[in-house]
Each structure stands twice: as structure tokens, then as C-alpha cells.
Amino acid sequence: MVSAKISPLAGKPATESQPVDVAALLAAYHDLKPEPSVPEQRVVFGTSGHRGSSFDRSFNEWHVLAVVQAICEYRAKDGVDGPVFVGIDTHALSGPAFESTLEVLAGNGVQTRISAGGEFTPTPAVSHAILVHNRGRESGRADGIVITPSHNPPESGGIKYNPPHGGPADTDATSWIAARANALIEGGLREVKRLPFAQARKAGTTHEFDFLQRYVGDLDDVLDLEIIRAKGVRMGVDPLGGAGVHYWSAIGERYGLNLTVVSETVDPTFSFMSLDWDGRVRMDPSSSFAMQRLIGLKDKFDVAFACDTDHDRHGVVAPSSGLMQANHYLSAAAWYLFQNRPGWRADAAIGKTAVSTALLDRIAGHLGRPLREVPVGFKYFVAGLYDGSLGFGCEESAGASFLAKDASAWSTDKDGIVAALLAGEMTARLGKDPGELYSDITKQLGDPANARIDAPANHAQKTKLSKLAPEQVTSKTLAGDPIVEVTNKAGGQPIGGIKVISANGWFAARPSGTEDIYKVYGESFRGKEHLQTILAEAQAMVDRALSD
């Protein structure tokens, strides 16, 4: 990011900042109630569920009770009568939120599957469990709830819903659930059915399920783990104290891999992290500031990787290049997968979000594969991953998933574990690390420079930007090249902004969903100076359109 102000603490140990007061955070979860008239305290489902902090009254007991009651009513309305698989990450607020969730599920008589032995459960393990359960079923279909705010700071909490297709819920579902949850809160939770936690835990509807063994046991369906073992690839992994913390050693043992788990520490303050760009603790595996511990180990392994707290995102460290930019690794992964998965359909597409690198477009063209471009949000890849028409779906924020080797659906949600382990498979088969592979690809197809800048925008301007029409962009050139397309859609769906494309570069501008800024993503195949011109012209074009 160009305009973000990098904190002087960025990249330094988190112990240099004040750790979150976990006891106060947990007390606030139970003691503070949301005020429905305050927009920031209402239930709002973003791209990955409802998130907030108990300190801000945006993620408290009332929110979770209401959301889960709304999910129970939604699944009943939708005819989902099988079990609900419940996942949980290692954030401090996830513990009490799990208890609230179970109380409501039991109160509603919903068959519930929770992890055996109180093990943490990554998002992809929940998605995979749903898909396996539902295979070939017309009735008794399962769905899932994952309690996680993803990579967000330690004071955050979150809850998301995955319908029977296993992936993130679409807007139809989340809008209904959020509206119903807010109505329940406004009604003082009188319509929420719940049992005390001790009773809910022992209820006849509550059953333990071994997510870890199911997921780890099936991994060779999606990856060639045998070649990693045979070639003795030295892999290092940092789970960043997240939900997959015990999955890695189980994977290494089961498949005989040379896999070193750098740390199995779980600490709700996440004090073992290095601070992110803004001086806050954030478990973002694609941030070089947050990934200092693993970057420091790059020369000890043939390839190393990390995942965020619910293990749906990945970061890959290659000896040749250090921490790979998300766009770089995703390009290498797409290039490799579509040449090493003979069981996939010949017309299986490469999927990318509208703000992901255009190198993926060039890779698709080079390999003779369809390209499917979608708005930001992994939910747009679900149908394709479910029916096998999409081999690989990815977004520039280091989220990806891909089909099993036989072209069946593996996980229709982002899977940081398989994306990370794929780096080991690539290294084993090609005899080079993913950074070297990326370098080879760019020599053939062009080496893009990309960046994102954030510019201030008030609520009215953000609304205007989200509704901008292509004809409002009157420029005919972009950084000296003729503009070939101006669009506000991807895959027929609005992107909530505008995208301008030339033969050698592009930019996309869209408002932030959480801050008073708009984001400009830009890319150039003619180098960094050309990129700066694209970004400057992009900002001028957007500012002109907003002032009209």
C-alpha cells in the first residue's frame, strides 16, 4: 500500500505494544449489551460473517445468541434438517461465543457436531466435513457455523454461516440472518431458545466429531503428498497460534513428511507475533510485517508457510524470494495446478477476483483455460468449485481453494492448509521453489508491478463510487495506452466500484466496507514507474467522477 502510514512499530515484536486485556474482553462479552439504534452495534454480515469486539459492543453474547437463533430459523425455512458442524478458532472471544452457540443449537433441538476433545477447528475442515456428509444426499443435509474473526486483532470476535454447499453463505442468506438477528435483539432476545451450557453439552443432539482425522485422513485426495515424502522436501510451518495448530504435526506424521512446526503456542494475546503495518497485532500470513518469525527461517527450509487464525488464508516463504506476494504465489499455483491435475475437466476454469493480478488472465490464455473473474468475495467461487467447472479460485488477499485430484469438491471455502502444502508439492515435482517458478512464468508472460493506495472518502462519496457507471469515466487512455474496457461488473455481478483496463495495465477503485476511504488497486506490465502513473491517473479519474 502506498499511502498507508507505516507505524514505527511495524515488524517489531508484539511484546513492545500493550497486550489485550483478555479478562476484561471476556467480561465485556457477557456484561455489555448492544444498543440496536446504534448502527455499529447491530448485526452486519460482511464478506465473512459478523465481526466486532466486545469492548465496542459490536460482538457480544447478545449478538451470538441472536445470530445462532436466526441461523436455526433460516436452516429450518430452507429445509436443512441434518447436523450443523461447528468450528472454532483460538481468539479469546471464540470460547464464550462457542458456548453461546451450543446453548442455542441445543435449545432448538438441532443435531450438532463439535470437535472431539475440544480441539480447535479450521474453516476448511468445517467446509470439507459438510461436503463429505452431503455427498449423494437429498435429505438430512448438513451445514456449518464457524466462530472466527479470521486474521483480525486479538480483541476481535466473529461468527459465519456455511450452507450445505460448504462455502460462505450468499447475500440472500446473510441478509435474512442479519435482519432476523437484529429483530431478535430489538425484542430483548425473548424468542431465543437456549439451554444452560452444561445441559447443552450433554444434550442428546450434541455429538463429538473428529474434524482433524477426517480432514487429515483425506488430504491425499487433493495433494500429491507421496512425492513430497519421496523427495524429502524440508518444509517449515508457523500456525500463528491458529485453529490448525495441531493439524500440522498430524499431517507430518500420517504422511511421513519432513515438516517442522515452528511453534505450537496458543496465546489469546498473540504476543508471539510481530506487529503489522499499523502497529497492531494481526495474524495476516500475507503481511511481511506480521510474518517476521517465519521470514527469518527462510534459509532453513526448502519452502515454509503460515496460515491465519482460522487457517483459510496462507503465506508462502521461498528461499529464492522470501515471503511471496499473494498475487505471485497464486499465479505460480494456478500455472502448476492446471498442468498437473489430469483428472480435472479440460474446460475447468481459473477463477480470480476483479482486483487480483492480470497475470492470471495471461496464464489462462497461455494454458488454454477459461478465466472466470468475479467481484471481491469467495462466495462467488462456490458454485464452480462445487460442480467442478472451476479448478482453482483465488483472491488477492491470499485466499484460495482448488478441486480434489478426481475433480470432486474438496473445500468450497478458502483453504490455507492445502494452498500452503501445494508449495511443497510444487517444489518436489519441479525441483525449484515457488519463487523460482514465478520468475520463470514472468519471463514468458510479463512481470507485473502492482500496488494499492487508500484515499479518503466520506460516506456520500463512497456511495457514489459504489454506483459509478462506466460512461462516467471519460478518459480514452490510461498511462499512455488506449483504454480497452471500463466496467463496473465482473461475471455479470456489480463489483461495487469501477475497473479500467488497457493492454499493459489496469486499475480498480472501490470503497472500503469498514473505513472512510476508497481503495485503488493498480497493476502495470511496464514497470513501477508506469504503475505510479496508472495510480495517479486512477485517483484523478475517480476524484473527477466523484466531484461531478
Side-chain angles (χ1 to χ4, degrees):
M1 288 187 298
V2 175
S3 66
K5 290 189 171 57
I6 306 297
S7 163
L9 290 174
K12 294 192 173 165
T15 45
E16 294 198 14
S17 70
Q18 191 66 37
V20 64
D21 184 338
V22 173
L25 188 73
L26 298 179
Y29 176 82
H30 295 290
D31 297 344
L32 300 183
K33 292 175 183 171
E35 175 48 64
S37 63
V38 179
E40 294 79 10
Q41 295 179 27
R42 291 173 70 79
V43 172
V44 179
F45 270 73
T47 48
S48 290
H50 173 71
R51 295 181 188 173
S53 174
S54 59
F55 289 145
D56 302 332
R57 298 178 193 253
S58 52
F59 187 86
N60 299 86
E61 184 176 34
W62 275 47
H63 293 103
V64 179
L65 295 171
V67 166
V68 180
Q69 180 63 41
I71 288 171
C72 289
E73 294 174 18
Y74 179 83
R75 68 195 304 271
K77 177 178 81 72
D78 217 37
V80 181
D81 55 355
V84 60
F85 289 96
V86 180
I88 173 177
D89 80 1
T90 55
H91 275 81
L93 287 173
S94 296
F98 170 78
E99 294 188 3
S100 303
T101 298
L102 198 58
E103 289 172 6
V104 177
L105 291 172
N108 281 269
V110 173
Q111 287 290 328
T112 304
R113 302 288 181 268
I114 61 172
S115 65
E119 182 58 71
F120 302 111
T121 308
T123 288
V126 173
S127 178
H128 185 67
I130 294 168
L131 290 168
V132 170
H133 178 92
N134 290 344
R135 211 163 272 159
R137 278 180 190 269
E138 292 297 316
S139 61
R141 293 177 308 145
D143 52 4
I145 293 172
V146 190
I147 298 158
T148 176
S150 190
H151 60 289
N152 285 17
E155 65 274 16
S156 306
I159 184 166
K160 57 184 180 178
Y161 174 60
N162 286 37
H165 58 47
D170 205 348
T171 316
D172 293 352
T174 56
S175 301
W176 192 96
I177 291 166
R180 179 60 181 145
N182 285 317
L184 289 164
I185 289 170
E186 285 163 7
L189 302 185
R190 279 187 296 275
E191 293 179 76
V192 172
K193 301 170 187 169
R194 66 192 285 207
L195 294 176
F197 178 69
Q199 225 175 306
R201 186 67 188 75
K202 291 179 188 154
T205 50
T206 303
H207 302 278
E208 289 202 346
F209 178 84
D210 201 334
F211 286 98
L212 189 153
Q213 288 306 325
R214 166 96 264 171
Y215 181 91
V216 172
D218 291 348
L219 259 183
D220 56 355
D221 292 345
V222 69
L223 293 160
D224 187 349
L225 297 166
E226 175 52 32
I227 196 168
I228 302 177
R229 187 197 63 75
K231 292 290 175 81
V233 178
R234 295 171 303 138
M235 299 184 293
V237 59
D238 190 343
L240 302 182
V245 64
H246 300 131
Y247 279 56
W248 295 103
S249 55
I251 292 166
E253 285 163 25
R254 182 178 184 106
Y255 296 103
L257 307 179
N258 185 350
L259 178 62
T260 301
V261 184
V262 172
S263 170
E264 287 197 340
T265 300
V266 173
D267 170 7
T269 69
F270 294 91
S271 297
F272 50 78
M273 292 294 298
S274 47
L275 296 166
D276 205 2
W277 64 272
D278 54 358
R280 297 184 72 190
V281 177
R282 195 177 284 108
M283 288 61 69
D284 181 355
S286 63
S287 162
S288 60
F289 299 111
M291 285 277 281
Q292 286 297 302
R293 179 163 75 180
L294 197 65
I295 292 169
L297 298 171
K298 80 177 175 73
D299 298 325
K300 292 189 176 178
F301 303 105
D302 298 320
V303 69
F305 32 79
C307 289
D308 68 338
T309 323
D310 69 320
H311 273 48
D312 69 343
R313 293 172 53 178
H314 62 274
V316 172
V317 174
S320 65
S321 58
L323 178 67
M324 293 183 70
Q325 274 189 37
N327 275 319
H328 294 190
Y329 180 65
L330 295 169
S331 298
W335 175 273
Y336 172 82
L337 280 166
F338 284 90
Q339 296 179 82
N340 290 279
R341 289 297 185 269
W344 290 4
R345 283 167 40 175
D347 64 346
I350 295 175
K352 55 165 268 201
T353 54
V355 294
S356 299
T357 178
L359 185 58
L360 287 162
D361 306 50
R362 296 187 177 194
I363 288 169
H366 181 80
L367 298 178
R369 291 284 180 167
L371 182 87
R372 195 175 296 179
E373 186 167 310
V374 302
V376 174
F378 208 78
K379 63 188 177 186
Y380 296 106
F381 297 129
V382 172
L385 289 167
Y386 193 78
D387 67 15
S389 62
L390 191 66
F392 174 73
C394 67
E395 48 189 26
E396 83 300 333
S397 54
S401 193
F402 49 93
L403 298 176
K405 289 183 284 192
D406 68 358
S408 64
W410 164 259
S411 168
T412 45
D413 211 325
K414 300 189 287 276
D415 190 334
I417 299 174
V418 299
L421 285 167
L422 181 68
E425 183 189 322
M426 291 156 72
T427 303
R429 178 161 279 116
L430 303 176
K432 58 180 75 171
D433 73 39
E436 293 169 309
L437 175 60
Y438 179 76
S439 178
D440 290 349
I441 297 165
T442 57
K443 281 178 187 136
Q444 284 189 66
L445 302 181
D447 188 0
N450 46 49
R452 190 187 99 197
I453 56 172
D454 297 347
N458 59 34
H459 181 74
Q461 290 171 319
K462 284 167 61 179
T463 303
K464 201 169 184 181
L465 175 57
S466 70
K467 295 175 180 168
L468 212 57
E471 54 269 22
Q472 287 174 261
V473 175
T474 53
S475 306
K476 295 286 179 270
T477 61
L478 177 62
D481 295 321
I483 289 172
V484 295
E485 187 182 6
V486 181
T487 183
N488 56 2
K489 291 185 175 177
Q493 303 269 0
I495 60 172
I498 203 88
K499 185 171 183 180
V500 176
I501 306 161
S502 74
N504 291 304
W506 59 271
F507 80 82
R510 53 190 296 273
S512 165
T514 52
E515 300 171 87
D516 284 334
I517 57 172
Y518 71 82
K519 301 174 183 182
V520 179
Y521 302 81
E523 185 168 59
S524 166
F525 281 86
R526 282 172 45 184
K528 289 183 178 175
E529 283 185 25
H530 188 245
L531 172 63
Q532 292 310 317
T533 309
I534 286 177
L535 291 170
E537 289 188 14
Q539 229 178 312
M541 279 186 219
V542 172
D543 289 343
R544 200 158 52 241
L546 290 180
S547 61
D548 286 349

